[in-house]
Amino acid sequence: MTSPVRPFDGIEEERYELFEMNTSRFELSRREFLSILGPGLLILTYGSTALAQRFGRGDRGDDSVSARLHIGQDGTITVMTGKVEVGQGSRAELTQAAAEELKVDPSHIRLIMGDTALTPDDGGTYGSQSTPRTVPAIRRGAAAARDILIDAASRMWGIDSERIQVVEGVLKDSSGEKSIRYAELVDRPEVVENLQSSVPSGVEVKPVSEWEVMGTSLPRPNGKDIVMGNHRYPSDIVRPNMGYGKVLRPPAYDTTLKSIDPSEVEKMEGVTIVRDGNFVGCVAPNSFRAAKAVEALAKTAEWEIPDHPSSKNLYSYLKDHAREGGGRRSRGDEKGSVEEGLSNASKTLDAEFDIAYIQHAPLEPRAAVAEWKGDRVTVWTGSQVPTRVHRELCDAFDLEPDQARVIIPDTGGGFGGKHTGEVAVEAARFARAAGKPVSLRWTRKKNSLGRIFVPLASSKPREDWMRKDP
Amino acid sequence: MENTFTIQVNGRNESITTDPERPLLDVLREDLGLTGTKFGCGEGQCSACSVLVDGKRVRSCVTPIGKLAGKKILTIEGLSNGDSLHPVQEAFLSAAAFQCGYCTPGMIIRTVELLENKPNPTDEEILNWMESNLCRCCGYPKILEAIQSAAKATAKGDSQ
């Protein structure tokens, strides 16, 4: 089973998608949600908003879920989003969006981000799209949930839904005689059964003039954990009986491992050597021992290293090897001729810019903890695109989608450099070979040499200096 | 190859049997479960791994455990008293002086050391002192604000 990793969609503004109507469904919690969230009501909102930032559109039934909420019988309101928190503040913002429409205090919202077993496929967290795309999706999902519960109360009490108000998660009739909390309503099976026919057709979100939570400054919900050192970033995850992995990194790009002699390292206590083609690494009871084992292996390794251009000549190499074409496709709105314009110019300006490779350099290097239970794997990792990591795991180990779960704890920076899933696949490889959970954290060097850079570029613009735009 | 060391971590005596060259950071995180101290670069360049050893900041990623026998170590987890925050933690939280927050424990530890040495630092002194600590999210203005307010809060506390 292989599905090639597709390039990201270009991010083009399609404004109409921000206003497209969603439809809602609800159900008693499905088994997989029930096991994690407990009993309650699951509310799904379908629409194109979340799809807008998906890449590699598949045909799984869940693809169009744009928002997913769960109201537990214990009163917990859980909002699930595929977006992740890498320091840009979306945990606070998306919590506000849900709290606003559900009319509860933000402290009552539990936001689960980037967990492929629970959250809808929002595509990824990049391109500054969480605010324009995910905030509206969550608002509509939360507004739909609110309307569904108001409708249920109106049926139960036999009064018009216009006469019901929500204050801090409590539904009240206008006479003030009747009131019921969301959680109590969810707890009544007859109410939930009656909901099927009562899904509101159009959802109205609160107008900006009535906002109470959005537009205010909400501190980051897990800020106290951060200043206390209690928040567990991906590299901080600890599982029972966990080992620590280190990978033998090749000395240059595109090298092939010719030979290696593991005999000395095999004698090291508690060390498991993992080899699969070019991939070689060690798992040990702590990361220092794993690093020592890999250092010892490195001394015995022979590599076939292809010729590479020197860093000193990269720009001339790039210019010599640049291919015609590429770049953005025409939008079909060009006028006139560049050649003509420049030849008629009274004064032209020529410039040349060389732009070096730039590393994204998040402060937390790429890290993952993988744990197998039978033929199922769970990986905690830092990634901006959890669904892509999930797919890479499924491809690498020939798994069905429900055999892999990717969980993204709030991460120590991304900056566009944490899209791919190599570290997750490496950790899962280690964990399978070692027969126990394994934590892998890339070294700073590997993090800087990893494959994703802001690309090297060289540009030579020429411009009509005196031209005035018409 | 392994030796046994006794160190005091956040007021508790810990007996550690391990390789003496192992970095303090690994011992804290992997043996003692104190993951609040972060690995940033592993080369002593970013100071995300800052802890106090006998009151002085060290970069725990390049400090071998073998040199620390009998020393008193304070990590981010040792600053708060139960649920009640240290004034520097409080200041960072109030000023929202973090984005991803990964550098924050190191920033806070470095600030605690600063205020022990200079209770009323000027902005220039703050900037010079904190120069060792990197914030890749570049939240420096808020961090400065947090340190200024922590200095005020600490000075007030002292005079009472």
Side-chain angles (χ1 to χ4, degrees):
Chain A
M1 191 181 85
T2 55
S3 54
V5 173
R6 298 168 177 87
F8 298 116
D9 282 349
I11 296 157
E12 297 284 333
E13 279 298 331
E14 300 280 6
R15 303 292 301 181
Y16 68 89
E17 288 186 316
L18 302 181
F19 303 102
E20 191 165 305
M21 192 59 80
N22 289 35
T23 58
S24 325
R25 273 185 231 162
F26 69 92
E27 50 193 279
L28 286 166
S29 297
R30 279 186 266 158
R31 192 173 51 83
E32 68 266 33
F33 289 90
L34 204 74
S35 69
I36 302 169
L37 301 172
L41 182 68
L42 184 68
I43 297 160
L44 309 175
T45 311
Y46 292 78
S48 62
T49 306
L51 278 178
Q53 218 177 339
R54 288 194 69 247
F55 56 91
R57 287 163 198 233
D59 53 4
R60 284 173 302 161
D62 240 13
D63 270 354
S64 59
V65 173
S66 63
R68 186 177 279 157
L69 291 90
H70 182 268
I71 301 181
Q73 284 176 1
D74 64 355
T76 312
I77 299 175
T78 306
V79 178
M80 290 157 265
T81 174
K83 295 294 178 195
V84 300
E85 174 66 84
V86 283
Q88 81 282 34
S90 57
R91 178 172 291 283
E93 182 189 44
L94 299 178
T95 298
Q96 285 177 296
E100 185 70 64
E101 299 298 339
L102 282 163
K103 301 189 180 179
V104 296
D105 188 86
S107 64
H108 294 148
I109 303 281
R110 174 170 67 142
L111 186 71
I112 295 184
M113 306 182 78
D115 178 339
T116 58
L118 293 175
T119 58
D121 178 0
D122 290 336
T125 304
Y126 49 84
S128 303
Q129 297 300 300
S130 298
T131 302
R133 299 200 191 279
T134 310
V135 168
I138 287 185
R139 286 181 67 199
R140 278 196 299 265
R146 179 197 65 213
D147 288 354
I148 285 167
L149 294 166
I150 289 176
D151 199 72
S154 100
R155 280 160 183 261
M156 192 175 67
W157 291 334
I159 61 171
D160 197 275
S161 61
E162 299 290 310
R163 290 180 49 205
I164 297 176
Q165 287 208 321
V166 182
V167 181
E168 281 301 311
V170 180
L171 301 131
K172 294 177 180 179
D173 82 325
S174 50
S175 70
E177 284 169 14
K178 298 189 177 78
S179 76
I180 188 166
R181 292 184 295 119
Y182 285 156
E184 292 173 88
L185 203 52
V186 167
D187 202 17
R188 293 171 179 240
E190 78 279 8
V191 170
V192 175
E193 275 162 33
N194 281 333
L195 284 173
Q196 186 68 59
S197 55
S198 70
V199 175
S201 52
V203 170
E204 274 184 45
V205 294
K206 282 169 77 175
V208 176
S209 60
E210 291 175 21
W211 280 1
E212 292 166 77
V213 181
M214 292 183 72
T216 65
S217 185
L218 180 73
R220 181 158 162 178
N222 53 356
K224 191 169 177 183
D225 286 338
I226 287 175
V227 300
M228 292 178 82
N230 289 342
H231 168 64
R232 300 249 171 181
Y233 292 84
S235 51
D236 300 333
I237 298 292
V238 178
R239 302 295 298 168
N241 189 34
M242 187 173 84
Y244 292 84
K246 288 284 171 200
V247 182
L248 174 63
R249 300 295 180 193
Y253 291 109
D254 301 324
T255 52
T256 311
L257 182 62
K258 277 161 57 183
S259 69
I260 197 160
D261 175 9
S263 55
E264 285 305 306
V265 175
E266 276 165 356
K267 291 179 205 152
M268 290 183 177
E269 196 190 325
V271 173
T272 307
I273 303 174
V274 183
R275 177 159 187 196
D276 187 352
N278 241 22
F279 176 84
V280 181
C282 297
V283 178
N286 63 53
S287 50
F288 179 78
R289 287 275 177 99
K292 286 286 163 203
V294 164
E295 274 170 36
L297 277 180
K299 285 182 188 149
T300 73
E302 280 190 58
W303 303 88
E304 195 176 303
I305 304 174
D307 281 341
H308 287 300
S310 157
S311 296
K312 290 178 192 153
N313 309 326
L314 275 178
Y315 297 109
S316 57
Y317 183 89
L318 178 68
K319 285 168 202 160
D320 291 346
H321 291 79
R323 281 172 308 200
E324 287 282 327
R328 275 199 178 266
R329 271 173 300 174
S330 159
R331 289 168 182 251
D333 55 359
E334 291 86 356
K335 292 183 291 203
S337 146
V338 174
E339 290 75 23
E340 208 175 296
L342 285 174
S343 64
N344 293 334
S346 57
K347 183 172 173 56
T348 56
L349 181 73
D350 287 278
E352 195 166 342
F353 300 100
D354 288 337
I355 301 162
Y357 285 120
I358 300 169
Q359 280 82 1
H360 302 83
L363 198 55
E364 183 184 33
R366 307 200 66 181
V369 171
E371 179 176 82
W372 290 86
K373 287 205 168 133
D375 58 0
R376 290 169 179 268
V377 67
T378 301
V379 179
W380 293 259
T381 188
S383 172
Q384 296 170 242
V385 198
T387 50
R388 175 171 173 161
V389 178
H390 179 264
R391 195 169 53 231
E392 288 185 33
L393 283 166
C394 289
D395 288 350
F397 299 99
D398 200 13
L399 304 175
E400 292 300 316
D402 66 347
Q403 290 175 281
R405 179 179 181 188
V406 175
I407 300 172
I408 315 287
D410 291 10
T411 296
F415 311 108
K418 285 182 179 168
H419 287 177
T420 52
E422 300 100 317
V423 70
V425 173
E426 288 171 352
R429 234 182 250 277
F430 275 145
R432 199 160 69 162
K436 58 181 173 184
V438 172
S439 169
L440 170 64
R441 185 190 60 218
W442 280 6
T443 60
R444 178 55 53 183
K445 184 179 175 188
K446 168 59 185 167
N447 210 71
S448 299
L449 292 173
R451 285 185 111 57
I452 298 183
F453 301 122
V454 177
L456 188 82
S458 199
S459 69
K460 247 179 125 169
R462 164 176 279 191
E463 154 172 56
D464 177 354
W465 191 235
M466 308 304 283
R467 177 172 174 272
K468 289 188 180 72
D469 282 319
Chain B
M1 166 168 165
E2 289 193 335
N3 284 330
T4 298
F5 310 93
T6 302
I7 52 175
Q8 198 190 86
V9 182
N10 301 332
R12 264 182 57 169
N13 287 323
E14 304 278 1
S15 173
I16 313 284
T17 301
T18 194
D19 308 305
E21 320 94 84
R22 232 176 124 206
L24 170 63
L25 177 66
D26 287 7
V27 173
L28 293 172
R29 292 174 54 85
E30 298 174 6
D31 297 15
L32 301 176
L34 297 172
T35 54
T37 306
K38 305 303 178 198
F39 176 100
C41 65
E43 299 170 10
Q45 298 288 321
C46 74
S47 297
C49 65
S50 295
V51 299
L52 299 184
V53 175
D54 290 344
K56 201 169 160 19
R57 190 279 299 272
V58 305
R59 296 170 179 94
S60 62
C61 75
V62 290
T63 305
I65 184 74
K67 290 189 174 171
L68 298 172
K71 304 277 188 194
K72 286 182 182 162
I73 294 151
L74 183 72
T75 74
I76 187 75
E77 290 94 342
L79 282 180
S80 51
N81 185 359
D83 211 32
S84 117
L85 296 178
H86 184 281
V88 176
Q89 290 173 312
E90 193 65 59
F92 272 71
L93 184 61
S94 307
F98 45 83
Q99 289 180 38
C100 82
Y102 196 77
C103 71
T104 306
M107 291 281 179
I108 289 174
I109 286 287
R110 181 68 166 156
T111 304
V112 169
E113 188 200 27
L114 165 70
L115 298 182
E116 285 292 323
N117 284 278
K118 291 180 197 291
N120 295 298
T122 64
D123 286 357
E124 197 185 346
E125 283 170 333
I126 294 174
L127 295 177
N128 285 336
W129 192 273
M130 300 303 294
E131 204 176 36
S132 58
N133 288 56
L134 296 183
C135 167
R136 169 62 177 90
C137 304
C138 300
Y140 297 111
K142 291 273 189 188
I143 293 169
L144 177 61
E145 197 184 299
I147 297 170
Q148 289 164 336
S149 86
K152 274 188 204 133
T154 313
K156 221 189 211 167
D158 285 349
S159 65
Q160 278 168 357

